[in-house]
Amino acid sequence: MNKLIMVVLDGLRYDTARQSMGYLNHLVEHRQAAVYKVVSELPSLSRPLYEVLLTGTPAWLNGITANHMARLSSQTSLFHLARQQGRRTAAAAYYWVSELVQRAPFHYAEDREQHNEALPIQHSKFYFDDSYPDSHLLLDGEVLRRQWDPHFLYIHPMGIDDAGHKYGADSKQYRGKAIEVDSLLAALVPGWMKEGYHVLITSDHGMNKDGQHGGTGCEEREVPLYCISPVFVPGEYSQELSQLWLAPLCCRILGIPLSSAMTMPADWEGLQL
């Protein structure tokens, strides 16, 4: 069975990723990875886009239309689909993911770390402070990987988004955080590649110079997708992808059926599935 690690770098703009993330772009240059531009769904807000990434459904359908909507998703997530096919699941992520998939509201003491084979996310470590260090969160994900050997592992650090809100996207702090996360990934991705994982690295939304997102501007909507996987022909692609396609892509890589609400194009340039 294929194993997939999906890394969502919250708040990372496409142009910042291409300019500041030397290791990931090194993999593209040396034909070890493919990179695409993804156009996020609207509204370009975090909780609605977590739902998009995990269910492949738009806000008008799934009802998660704003950040304050703390409730379980009504849709079938990647975690549900993986579990239905006997795959192991794990996540190191912001607590809003728990509220969408596990239960809502989030109980800080009870839900911070969860290990329950009956839940959609069987093994998880959730954080609730936006300034929780990316180094810690990525290590949380790596610990879950080593301990529980999941087929689908979701890793979601917040540092880039936090820096963007505090200082704006046109700041040394925002760009510096992207460089920092790239270096952290450079310590982990080679091991994942060596062990045969498929790795997708993307973002939920971008960030504007005012330190905001939620609107229709390209700086708020355009995010990267790095694909480190033999199902992609390596290289840089000009085709812009819909964010709705990422959840069904994960299903295809994992070899599990898509939900009835997911759609995926037949003309995905560079994809060999």
Side-chain angles (χ1 to χ4, degrees), residues 52-195:
V52 169
L53 288 167
L54 290 172
T55 70
T57 61
W60 70 263
L61 175 62
N62 62 49
I64 305 296
T65 56
N67 280 342
H68 65 266
M69 303 189 73
R71 65 166 175 80
L72 280 173
S73 169
S74 63
Q75 303 297 307
T76 305
S77 76
L78 289 169
F79 297 108
H80 291 88
L81 294 168
R83 290 297 304 121
Q84 289 170 11
Q85 299 301 314
R87 303 318 200 260
R88 292 182 300 278
T89 60
Y94 195 57
Y95 76 102
W96 288 359
V97 172
S98 180
E99 289 184 326
L100 287 170
V101 179
Q102 306 283 70
R103 70 172 178 176
F106 185 82
H107 293 258
Y108 290 88
E110 297 175 17
D111 297 344
R112 172 76 171 86
E113 184 166 344
Q114 302 174 40
H115 299 284
N116 186 334
E117 297 290 329
L119 290 174
I121 309 175
Q122 295 171 303
H123 304 285
S124 56
K125 296 176 183 287
F126 293 106
Y127 64 101
F128 45 83
D129 187 335
D130 290 13
S131 61
Y132 187 70
D134 292 343
S135 58
H136 292 40
L137 188 280
L138 286 165
L139 186 57
D140 287 343
E142 177 66 2
V143 168
L144 289 170
R145 185 188 72 83
R146 295 186 183 198
Q147 287 186 342
W148 303 104
D149 191 27
H151 296 94
F152 179 53
L153 172 60
Y154 186 87
I155 301 177
H156 169 222
M158 186 70 73
I160 296 170
D161 182 77
D162 188 51
H165 283 303
K166 289 175 178 175
Y167 304 105
D170 188 19
S171 68
K172 66 179 183 180
Q173 292 88 350
Y174 180 78
R175 291 186 291 270
K177 187 57 68 171
I179 293 170
E180 176 187 317
V181 174
D182 182 70
S183 295
L184 293 169
L185 288 170
L188 292 171
V189 170
W192 298 346
M193 295 171 67
K194 185 177 180 180
E195 295 195 35

Side-chain angles (χ1 to χ4, degrees), residues 78 81-82 84-85 87 248 251-252 254-260 262:
L78 289 169
L81 294 168
Q84 289 170 11
Q85 299 301 314
R87 303 318 200 260
C251 290
R252 294 283 298 277
L254 288 167
I256 61 177
L258 281 61
S259 77
S260 59
M262 292 179 180

